[in-house]
Amino acid sequence: MERRAHTKGSFYSMFLAMLTVMICQAAVFGQVLIVVDQPDVILRPVPVPTPPPTTTANPLRLDSHRIEVTVKGQVATTDVEQVFYNTSGQRVEGTYLFPVPIDAKIDKFTMDINGKQQEAELLDADKARTIYENIVRSMRDPALMEYAGQRLFKVRVFPIEPNSKKTLTLRYTQLLRKDAGVVGYTYPLGADRFAPGSVGGVSIKVSLENQGGLANVYSPSHKVEVKQHGSDEAVVGYEERNMATPVDFQLFFSPVDKADEQVGVSLLAYHDKQDKEGGYFMLLASPTWQAAKNKAVSQDVIFVMDTSGSMAGEKLEQAKAALKFCIENLNKGDRFDIVRFSTEAEPMFGSLSPLNDSNKTKAFDFINNLKPIGGTAIYDALHTALKMSEDATDADKRPCNIIFLTDGKPTVGQTDEEAIVQSVSTVIGRQPRVRTPRVFCFGVGNELNTHLLDKVTEATRAVSQYVVPGEDIEVKVSSFYSKLSSPVLTALSLDFKGVRVSKVFPGDLPDMFKGEQLIVTGRYTGDGDVTVTLAGNMNGVKEQYVYELKLPGDDVTRDFVPRLWAQRRVGYLLDEIRLHGESAELRDEVTLLARQYGIVTPYTAYLIVEDESRRNVPVAARTLQSLEGDVSARRDAGRAWEEMNTSKSGAAALDAANANLALKSAATPSAPATSQPMAEFYAQGGQGQLGERAGVKKLQEQQVKFVRGRAFYQNGDEWIDSNVANQTDAKRVEVKLNSDEYFKLANAHKDAAAWLSVGQNVQLLIDDTVYVVR
């Protein structure tokens, strides 16, 4: 490596830049660094000189990061463009480091710097580890420990002129791994978190092509847009400006083996062989392109709208617009009716009627003439709609969906919550399973009974949606109905042979719709060959699809699977407590899962703090010390828990219903893969009124990292492994950061280096010992 002479002044500035500029770009392999040119830092440990006080750290800014990927079959070609800006008044030079994961099979690697091709040197894992460890020793930043044990590409970068941009482009080709019929691609975008400040702009485009077809394109890490072009091609897109908390980008898809396959099914799993309860699975199912071209299943739809006096004004106008949208999006062959209710229930036709121009005109006239007046006869409205479903001809051949919208509590006729729910269950029980009406409830505003609506949807295997003050009813209802408008397979059931499955969510499967993906999570015991049978009804004919798949006995690479399962499980348990009452078993399981997987909301935070206080966990080992020591925050979390258990209406009730629904129906795990405020997590559910309380605002600043199956909680300048609070009698050993003992510890367990990468000060449990790193 070339050596250059420096004056003392330039040495300080260049050396500081080398040690602090960690502009970490990712490729499918890992994090990228620019280490400014001082060879000894890379080749061996050196003491760190004290820089002048006026020196500015991290002079390189990452302005943009663009990734374009083309995947044909299992061969992926990735093109990356990164634009750096040197904010300092001095020229910077250095080395570009590019870690390669253990199982990556790289065919080509090329890199251009400002249009000139550069040769990259590939270092084996041992040489790469030396470089990682020396940078960690010099910078006292353990973040690179996550990549210890991986190979490394190294490229010279010179010069980066003062106050100017440097564009780096690279291309690599690799063979993607196919496991149990699922192909996976990873781009560690999370490495961008080492860049100073937020990343100016990130864009990702993945073009997929597979002869024979594609199914179940899924990202557990990002909310991507997927557009399919024919049976064999799809484009996945993601963009974000000023990305503050980047996480690794992951994408999975399944090649379709049979040209006439109607439903694609994929199985992702996580199984730690030391876990006596078994493994975790995630099943993805979606209609193939071939199935999507077929005519949608004909269905019956009954729209039930509250026109009581409280709906007057903008609420009713938005509801009318939403109802018109739904009528416009009915399919040929569908039947429908509208039931308006206030003091009494009044159907438009009185029976399910076919969709045609004449009936559509009548429906629009009916909607235009709706007036807000009277009370709220919820019992009569539900009974009218359910009876209409029961009396319909050919009821055993068509699914029935009821869209129920109200802004109030029952005030006319039967008003008892349990009596109304029991009546719904009785009518539902008389109808064949293929017909069982699903009642999708839309609650508008704060003055309604969330328990009543949620119990009705629970009894009918549907879901509730809540339109909080300030939200647009038309947008919310229309968006939801767009997903429901084209069913492909109804009355679904799922069977596993070869393993035993348990704690499956959702327990009652929803119908399958065009353009939508069904995600089922659960636990399993056993491993090996598995026969999965998905059955359902298509236009009165029972269909059955059989898949021969595999579940591993030892594979911990996909740790998003247990996180998503835990998130859904916690949402389900919290709703059980909210709707049906608390028990010690439910409370304890919520506490255990929430702490283990970093699922921190005002509800779970209260349980974690109370549990650790009751068990006399040493304060230094507790998970949420900021909440523990803040009387206001602890009081507010306790108040949130009490309100979740007792409130049926009002803002607190809507917060609880929406937050729990966000957990139960999550498609991606919200527990962060890297440090991020829990406010971002909690913002998924509720109108955020809990967040307006001063104590809870502080709680929302809680930082959590989830690394290799473990959650770490930040308390001051220390990160605490969530397992520490569960083993209060474990031996404690102090380890000095960057000492020989520290690096021995990093090699003591296959995941230890990654765990230590969370920060300089860490409490980490391995076997029966808590290692306290400082």
Side-chain angles (χ1 to χ4, degrees):
M1 191 174 194
E2 184 180 4
R3 295 177 180 267
R4 301 174 188 266
H6 298 278
T7 64
K8 182 175 181 181
S10 66
F11 171 81
Y12 271 123
S13 61
M14 297 303 294
F15 191 81
L16 177 68
M18 175 186 298
L19 296 182
T20 58
V21 179
M22 292 179 50
I23 309 301
C24 305
Q25 303 327 310
V28 66
F29 325 113
Q31 158 185 318
V32 173
L33 301 171
I34 291 182
V35 180
V36 176
D37 198 20
Q38 165 60 16
D40 286 344
V41 174
I42 290 180
L43 299 178
R44 60 182 175 78
V46 295
V48 181
T50 304
T54 57
T55 304
T56 302
N58 295 338
L60 291 186
R61 182 181 71 213
L62 177 56
D63 278 356
S64 69
H65 190 171
R66 182 175 60 83
I67 306 105
E68 290 195 6
V69 187
T70 301
V71 181
K72 294 185 177 182
Q74 289 177 241
V75 178
T77 300
T78 302
D79 288 284
V80 181
E81 179 189 86
Q82 301 140 52
V83 179
F84 300 97
Y85 184 78
N86 180 5
T87 62
S88 73
Q90 298 181 358
R91 174 181 287 183
V92 175
E93 57 183 286
T95 302
Y96 187 93
L97 304 180
F98 194 92
V100 182
I102 295 171
D103 62 348
K105 298 178 181 178
I106 306 303
D107 179 44
K108 296 179 181 178
F109 183 98
T110 60
M111 182 171 184
D112 281 39
I113 302 176
N114 281 5
K116 295 182 180 180
Q117 186 163 323
Q118 305 292 318
E119 183 177 349
E121 178 185 1
L122 177 62
L123 305 179
D124 63 25
D126 290 337
K127 289 183 179 178
R129 179 183 289 274
T130 300
I131 289 177
Y132 294 141
E133 290 187 359
N134 287 341
I135 294 174
V136 170
R137 290 178 191 270
S138 300
M139 299 183 68
R140 292 185 59 81
D141 187 339
L144 272 179
M145 295 298 293
E146 182 177 353
Y147 300 99
Q150 299 178 193
R151 294 174 295 158
L152 175 70
F153 278 108
K154 187 176 70 165
V155 183
R156 290 282 294 114
V157 180
F158 174 81
I160 306 175
E161 299 292 350
N163 301 309
S164 65
K165 292 183 178 181
K166 174 74 76 173
T167 300
L168 280 67
T169 63
L170 61 92
R171 166 178 286 191
Y172 56 87
T173 303
Q174 67 174 132
L175 179 65
L176 300 179
R177 175 187 174 192
K178 185 178 182 180
D179 186 9
V182 180
V183 178
Y185 173 88
T186 300
Y187 186 100
L189 191 63
D192 280 0
R193 66 185 180 270
F194 297 106
S198 60
V199 181
V202 173
S203 68
I204 302 174
K205 178 183 177 182
V206 184
S207 300
L208 301 173
E209 180 180 335
N210 183 74
Q211 296 299 320
L214 292 165
N216 297 318
V217 180
Y218 171 75
S219 172
S221 59
H222 293 76
K223 294 181 179 178
V224 298
E225 179 184 32
V226 180
K227 291 186 176 180
Q228 192 150 357
H229 303 287
S231 60
D232 299 345
E233 299 180 12
V235 176
V236 180
Y238 177 81
E239 290 189 5
E240 184 173 348
R241 295 290 304 170
N242 300 318
M243 179 182 286
T245 54
V247 296
D248 290 352
F249 176 78
Q250 293 178 291
L251 187 71
F252 296 90
F253 67 92
S254 296
V256 174
D257 296 327
K258 302 174 184 177
D260 60 346
E261 192 165 302
Q262 298 292 301
V263 179
V265 167
S266 310
L267 202 55
L268 301 169
Y270 175 99
H271 194 167
D272 185 342
K273 63 182 180 182
Q274 296 181 346
D275 189 340
K276 296 179 180 178
E277 293 186 34
Y280 304 81
F281 74 86
M282 173 193 295
L283 182 141
L284 307 174
S286 61
T288 62
W289 181 261
Q290 179 65 33
K293 291 193 300 182
N294 298 336
K295 178 178 177 292
V297 171
S298 296
Q299 63 176 330
D300 293 337
V301 186
I302 306 171
F303 302 98
V304 185
M305 179 180 289
D306 184 347
T307 60
S308 60
S310 58
M311 284 288 292
E314 188 177 17
K315 283 196 290 186
L316 184 58
E317 294 309 310
Q318 290 179 0
K320 286 181 178 182
L323 188 48
K324 289 178 180 178
F325 174 89
C326 295
I327 300 297
E328 286 284 9
N329 282 273
L330 290 169
N331 294 311
K332 184 178 180 180
D334 289 347
R335 300 183 303 195
F336 75 107
D337 200 356
I338 301 173
V339 178
R340 71 124 203 115
F341 73 97
S342 53
T343 305
E344 70 287 322
E346 176 195 355
M348 179 177 63
F349 296 124
S351 64
L352 286 160
S353 301
L355 177 69
N356 54 44
D357 291 342
S358 174
N359 285 339
K360 187 185 291 188
T361 299
K362 291 177 183 177
F364 284 177
D365 289 342
F366 185 84
I367 294 168
N368 288 333
N369 290 322
L370 293 176
K371 298 292 189 296
I373 190 171
T376 310
I378 287 179
Y379 173 86
D380 287 346
L382 285 171
H383 189 268
T384 299
L386 290 168
K387 192 71 170 61
M388 188 184 301
S389 170
E390 186 177 23
D391 293 343
T393 58
D394 296 328
D396 60 339
K397 297 180 180 179
R398 306 164 67 95
C400 180
N401 290 321
I402 298 172
I403 311 299
F404 183 86
L405 188 148
T406 183
D407 76 335
K409 306 169 188 174
T411 59
V412 177
Q414 178 61 264
T415 59
D416 181 74
E417 173 187 317
E418 296 303 327
I420 294 174
V421 174
Q422 182 57 49
S423 174
V424 169
S425 299
T426 299
V427 178
I428 292 292
R430 294 200 298 258
Q431 302 189 45
R433 185 176 185 277
V434 68
R435 176 63 174 182
T436 304
R438 298 182 191 265
V439 182
F440 296 94
C441 293
F442 283 86
V444 179
N446 293 332
E447 300 306 315
L448 42 78
N449 186 333
T450 59
H451 282 211
L452 171 60
L453 300 186
D454 288 346
K455 287 179 179 179
V456 167
T457 57
E458 182 181 60
T460 62
R461 300 182 295 124
V463 293
S464 299
Q465 299 276 325
Y466 292 97
V467 185
V468 301
E471 276 193 292
D472 191 307
I473 300 171
E474 179 186 358
V475 172
K476 189 124 184 182
V477 175
S478 300
S479 174
F480 180 80
Y481 185 74
S482 294
K483 300 176 183 179
L484 277 178
S485 62
S486 299
V488 173
L489 200 64
T490 63
L492 299 183
S493 64
L494 196 58
D495 179 68
F496 289 77
K497 283 187 170 56
V499 297
R500 187 177 69 85
V501 300
S502 61
K503 299 178 180 178
V504 176
F505 302 100
D508 293 316
L509 298 181
D511 295 335
M512 185 176 293
F513 301 92
K514 286 184 180 181
E516 294 298 310
Q517 190 171 67
L518 173 64
I519 301 177
V520 181
T521 60
R523 302 215 59 175
Y524 71 93
T525 54
D527 60 80
D529 294 334
V530 180
T531 301
V532 176
T533 302
L534 178 67
N537 190 277
M538 185 179 294
N539 285 322
V541 178
K542 187 170 183 178
E543 300 287 348
Q544 186 169 286
Y545 308 98
V546 180
Y547 306 87
E548 299 299 332
L549 304 170
K550 289 182 180 292
L551 283 171
D554 186 20
D555 187 343
V556 294
T557 56
R558 295 167 175 168
D559 63 0
F560 62 86
V561 175
R563 280 196 291 138
L564 182 59
W565 172 84
Q567 189 170 315
R568 289 180 161 202
R569 176 74 176 171
V570 166
Y572 165 79
L573 294 173
L574 287 174
D575 248 11
E576 282 293 300
I577 292 171
R578 181 175 70 93
L579 298 176
H580 305 293
E582 182 180 344
S583 70
E585 291 79 8
L586 292 176
R587 183 183 175 117
D588 289 347
E589 187 175 358
V590 169
T591 305
L592 179 66
L593 291 175
R595 177 169 47 226
Q596 181 178 352
Y597 290 100
I599 305 170
V600 184
T601 73
Y603 313 120
T604 59
Y606 171 75
L607 295 181
I608 291 171
V609 168
E610 291 300 303
D611 168 71
E612 293 176 3
S613 176
R614 176 178 55 81
R615 293 190 293 112
N616 293 318
V617 174
V619 173
R622 294 189 184 182
T623 306
L624 299 172
Q625 293 174 26
S626 62
L627 181 60
E628 187 84 32
D630 189 308
V631 175
S632 174
R634 189 166 179 175
R635 182 189 64 241
D636 284 351
R639 181 179 166 191
W641 175 256
E642 181 181 357
E643 288 174 339
M644 192 200 80
N645 279 275
T646 59
S647 298
K648 294 185 178 183
S649 63
L654 261 68
D655 272 333
N658 274 330
N660 292 350
L661 176 63
L663 290 169
K664 289 194 300 182
S665 60
T668 58
S670 291
T674 184
S675 176
Q676 97 185 55
M678 80 162 213
E680 184 176 329
F681 165 79
Y682 184 64
Q684 288 188 79
Q687 51 192 316
Q689 296 210 2
L690 285 173
E692 295 304 313
R693 298 174 185 164
V696 176
K697 278 187 175 180
K698 180 173 182 178
L699 175 63
Q700 289 177 343
E701 297 171 0
Q702 176 66 52
Q703 300 277 326
V704 183
K705 293 182 180 181
F706 195 88
V707 180
R708 304 286 177 89
R710 291 200 185 183
F712 292 82
Y713 293 78
Q714 186 177 28
N715 289 281
D717 62 354
E718 185 175 44
W719 292 90
I720 300 178
D721 178 356
S722 62
N723 292 313
V724 171
N726 293 330
Q727 294 197 26
T728 56
D729 58 347
K731 180 174 63 174
R732 296 177 71 85
V733 174
E734 298 245 351
V735 178
K736 185 177 180 181
L737 177 69
N738 290 343
S739 64
D740 290 341
E741 289 75 17
Y742 175 83
F743 289 103
K744 287 179 182 177
L745 175 61
N747 295 315
H749 184 282
K750 62 183 178 63
D751 293 320
W755 291 332
L756 290 171
S757 73
V758 298
Q760 293 181 340
N761 303 313
V762 183
Q763 290 189 39
L764 172 64
L765 178 71
I766 298 180
D767 298 326
D768 60 350
T769 302
V770 174
Y771 295 93
V772 182
V773 178
R774 290 189 173 89

